[in-house]
């Protein structure tokens, strides 16, 4: 698969490190304005370290992973090589590095944030990630902001392709909060951008119609269930969203996103997997 190939690998289950942030030790999300937040070493802050996660994930029966940028405790080349080797040893595919900060449409810091995101895309390449997901912008979807985003996403795609990575963005934050904005950006990127389709990001009476509109762009799916304060999974909403992906012919990884009230994250992931599994194995 080339970095500009719009196709994806066969349907499969995946997990994001966000779903295990308590297990990994509740790292804080940081961005380009942070001063050296990395520890410089793979310190153990939670039940397991990131280096221990691939084996734990393989034992759980899932062999695809997405890593949030802030869960990397070090950017030292030796650590990155060790993590990549660990993933390969456990036969766990690193599908995407999720760059969870930065605003390329910021009127003052947009260029700075683009440079910071570029550096993380290079990290994705070092780790052997297939994709890297970036934020298209946190500003409102005005015509001017959309064009700024398109240009900077095009530049980021250049960096991604040079590092053997395919660029993705997500229906997330202000710029891509509406289907029309998503269409505008994707139509102008001419296939050089994939969509991380997250049906936990949108809500309201037009949610399902809006998600249906953008689902054909999806190359990965952040499969987030809603849990009540009493730890009850909203299966009706979950299934309806999953049906949208099936109807769109989705063929990428279903990444389980757990953020429920129960601190037992593996239990929450197991409950989500029970609902999602038929869509993978159908």
């Amino acid at each position: 698969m080339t970095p500009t190939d719009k196709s994806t690998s066969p349907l499969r289950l995946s997990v994001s490190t966000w779903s295990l942030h308590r297990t990994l030790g509740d790292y804080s999300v940081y961005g380009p304005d942070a001063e050296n937040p990395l520890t410089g070493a793979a310190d153990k802050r939670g039940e397991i370290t990131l280096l221990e996660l691939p084996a734990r994930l393989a034992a759980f029966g899932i062999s695809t992973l997405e890593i949030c940028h802030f869960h990397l405790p070090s950017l030292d080349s030796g650590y990155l090589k060790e993590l990549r080797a660990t993933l390969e040893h456990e036969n766990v595919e690193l599908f995407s590095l999720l760059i969870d900060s930065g605003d390329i449409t910021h009127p003052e810091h947009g260029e700075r944030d683009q440079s910071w995101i570029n550096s993380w895309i290079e990290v994705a390449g070092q780790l052997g990630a297939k994709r890297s997901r970036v934020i298209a912008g946190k500003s409102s979807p005005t015509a001017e902001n959309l064009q700024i985003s398109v240009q900077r996403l095009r530049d980021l795609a250049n960096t991604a392709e040079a590092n053997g990575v395919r660029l993705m963005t997500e229906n997330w934050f202000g710029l891509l909060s509406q289907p029309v904005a998503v269409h505008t950006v994707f139509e102008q990127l001419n296939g050089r951008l994939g969509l991380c389709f997250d049906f936990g990001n949108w809500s309201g009476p037009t949610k399902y119609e809006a998600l249906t509109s953008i689902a054909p762009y999806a190359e990965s799916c952040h499969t987030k269930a809603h849990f009540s304060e009493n730890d009850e999974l909203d299966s009706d909403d979950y299934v309806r969203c999953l049906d949208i992906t099936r109807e769109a012919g989705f063929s990428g990884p279903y990444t389980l996103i757990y953020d429920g009230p129960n601190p037992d994250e593996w239990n929450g992931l197991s409950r989500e997997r029970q609902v999602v599994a038929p869509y993978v194995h159908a």
Side-chain angles (χ1 to χ4, degrees):
M1 182 189 301
T2 63
T4 56
D5 191 347
K6 291 181 66 177
S7 65
T8 57
S9 301
L11 287 163
R12 59 211 184 276
L13 285 170
S14 172
V15 167
S16 165
T17 58
W18 174 253
S19 301
L20 295 163
H21 64 272
R22 287 168 279 203
T23 299
L24 290 168
D26 275 328
Y27 288 78
S28 298
V29 180
Y30 66 88
D33 55 346
E35 295 184 7
N36 193 25
L38 296 172
T39 64
D43 296 332
K44 190 163 186 174
R45 299 186 180 185
E47 175 188 330
I48 59 174
T49 67
L50 186 59
L51 285 173
E52 294 170 324
L53 179 59
R56 181 68 179 83
L57 197 61
F60 187 64
I62 289 182
S63 58
T64 301
L65 174 66
E66 296 191 48
I67 296 177
C68 298
H69 82 275
F70 54 86
H71 279 136
L72 286 170
S74 173
L75 297 183
D76 177 79
S77 61
Y79 176 81
L80 297 179
K81 289 178 182 177
E82 184 179 8
L83 178 56
R84 180 169 182 168
T86 301
L87 289 161
E88 292 172 352
H89 180 265
E90 299 295 340
N91 293 314
V92 173
E93 170 198 29
L94 179 56
F95 182 77
S96 182
L97 178 65
L98 305 170
I99 305 172
D100 275 338
S101 192
D103 180 6
I104 59 176
T105 60
H106 192 283
E108 181 180 356
H109 301 302
E111 290 185 5
R112 178 203 66 182
D113 289 13
Q114 179 183 348
S115 177
W116 181 83
I117 292 168
N118 267 323
S119 70
W120 277 100
I121 292 174
E122 293 171 359
V123 172
Q126 292 179 66
L127 288 171
K130 303 295 189 300
R131 304 286 203 278
S132 185
R133 192 271 282 126
V134 305
I135 298 168
K138 298 180 181 180
S139 305
S140 60
T142 64
E144 179 181 5
N145 287 336
L146 285 166
Q147 289 311 304
I148 291 172
S149 178
V150 166
Q151 181 56 54
R152 290 182 172 157
L153 286 170
R154 190 175 289 120
D155 292 341
L156 292 173
N158 290 337
T159 300
E161 291 159 14
N163 285 274
V165 177
R166 178 163 167 79
L167 189 71
M168 293 196 304
T169 191
E170 184 174 333
N171 55 309
W172 193 26
F173 285 109
L175 194 88
L176 296 188
S177 60
Q178 304 168 11
V180 64
V182 175
H183 288 294
T184 297
V185 168
F186 275 80
E187 287 168 5
Q188 293 190 49
L189 266 293
N190 297 318
R192 298 184 66 200
L193 183 70
L195 177 65
C196 175
F197 179 72
D198 190 319
F199 49 64
N201 288 343
W202 288 1
S203 59
T206 62
K207 170 182 176 177
Y208 304 114
E209 178 183 357
L211 289 174
T212 299
S213 174
I214 66 170
Y217 297 119
E219 295 184 11
S220 73
C221 180
H222 276 188
T223 314
K224 183 178 182 179
H226 290 289
F227 288 83
S228 70
E229 294 181 357
N230 297 322
D231 197 31
E232 297 175 347
L233 189 157
D234 186 347
S235 59
D236 290 341
D237 173 78
Y238 210 32
V239 167
R240 188 164 180 182
C241 290
L242 287 164
D243 284 344
I244 290 173
T245 65
R246 176 178 283 173
E247 291 163 6
F250 176 68
S251 60
Y254 284 100
T255 299
L256 304 175
I257 304 293
Y258 174 72
D259 196 22
N262 189 333
D264 186 345
E265 293 169 317
W266 295 107
N267 175 269
L269 289 170
S270 294
R271 293 167 64 190
E272 289 186 338
R273 177 166 58 180
Q274 289 178 349
V275 182
V276 180
Y279 293 82
V280 175
H281 301 299

